[in-house]
Amino acid sequence: MQAFTTHTGLAAIIDSANIDTDQIIPKQFLSKVTRDGFGVHLFHDWRYLDDAGDNPNPEFSLNQPRYVGASILLAKENFGCGSSREHAPWALADFGLRVIIAPSFADIFYGNAINNGLLPVRLTELEVQQLMDEVSAQYGAQITVDLKALTVTSPSGACFDFQIAESARHNLLHGLDAIGISLGYDDKITQYEAQIPAWRS
């Protein structure tokens, strides 16, 4: 997966709490067997006024011209609650998002996001609100997220620290998913297999 070090991008806002995985990617779109192609269905019930997805809802924030091309999403607490579907971070990433910033995340979503190269950043409610206020006030506002320094820099230059488990930070910095981690032990795996008695193979 793509490594994450530092990212500066256009920030968008969904000013809601408890955004669940069925809103992120509704169940009727889970029939695909690959990770791509989910972005068009992201937040389907909010983005569109019809079931077919032909009539965008102009009131939904991600449909507004100022947020087209956003790669950072700001939201309220308990983002990603609900079912454990891994399709939720797939849809967010396929849409073009690289970072979700919120005061808190559902545990399973948080792990799924990291495992799929999407960075979930926990900041305090006050810090998230400040970011939302600054982004709302400035058309085209950008935020910088530095995973090496563990900082988020607002459009005005305010800097906020965040924390993430060192193992997760290492994997994101090096673009390692579960398969990539396993391949890092390729020499040891090969050595072990060479020592297996013939009668066990």
Side-chain angles (χ1 to χ4, degrees):
M1 67 185 187
Q2 183 179 0
F4 190 111
T5 52
T6 301
H7 177 74
T8 299
L10 178 68
I13 299 170
I14 300 182
D15 193 4
S16 298
N18 304 308
I19 297 174
D20 64 38
T21 52
D22 196 47
Q23 291 295 348
I24 296 172
I25 179 70
K27 59 185 179 300
Q28 64 267 31
F29 302 115
L30 305 186
S31 59
K32 300 178 189 295
V33 295
T34 59
R35 298 184 183 189
D36 57 349
F38 289 101
V40 67
H41 305 302
L42 180 69
F43 298 118
H44 182 275
D45 294 342
W46 293 345
R47 284 172 67 194
Y48 303 106
L49 298 174
D50 62 326
D51 290 339
D54 296 325
N55 189 10
N57 177 5
E59 300 300 319
F60 183 57
S61 61
L62 295 186
N63 288 338
Q64 296 173 12
R66 65 178 297 169
Y67 294 140
V68 172
S71 58
I72 298 174
L73 180 64
L74 303 171
K76 293 294 182 69
E77 68 272 9
N78 200 28
F79 188 92
C81 57
S83 71
S84 60
R85 64 191 64 168
E86 200 168 17
H87 306 75
W90 294 355
L92 291 160
D94 192 57
F95 184 77
L97 294 168
R98 300 220 59 206
V99 182
I100 311 295
I101 301 175
S104 60
F105 296 87
D107 288 342
I108 294 176
F109 173 85
Y110 186 85
N112 283 341
I114 291 170
N115 291 339
N116 287 280
L118 182 68
L119 177 59
V121 173
R122 297 188 187 105
L123 295 179
T124 68
E125 291 184 9
L126 288 177
E127 290 167 343
V128 172
Q129 189 59 57
Q130 180 174 336
L131 290 172
M132 287 184 170
D133 291 343
E134 290 190 25
V135 169
S136 295
Q138 180 183 334
Y139 195 101
Q142 294 191 333
I143 290 172
T144 296
V145 180
D146 188 333
L147 185 57
K148 288 185 176 180
L150 295 174
T151 58
V152 174
T153 304
S154 78
S156 70
C159 190
F160 307 120
D161 296 327
F162 69 95
Q163 298 297 320
I164 187 172
E166 184 56 35
S167 58
R169 179 171 174 266
H170 175 272
N171 292 342
L172 286 166
L173 285 171
H174 294 88
L176 296 174
D177 57 12
I179 294 174
I181 294 169
S182 297
L183 291 175
Y185 296 97
D186 184 59
D187 290 346
K188 291 184 178 180
I189 293 171
T190 300
Q191 182 181 8
Y192 172 78
E193 290 178 339
Q195 295 172 350
I196 297 175
W199 61 268
R200 291 186 58 191
S201 51

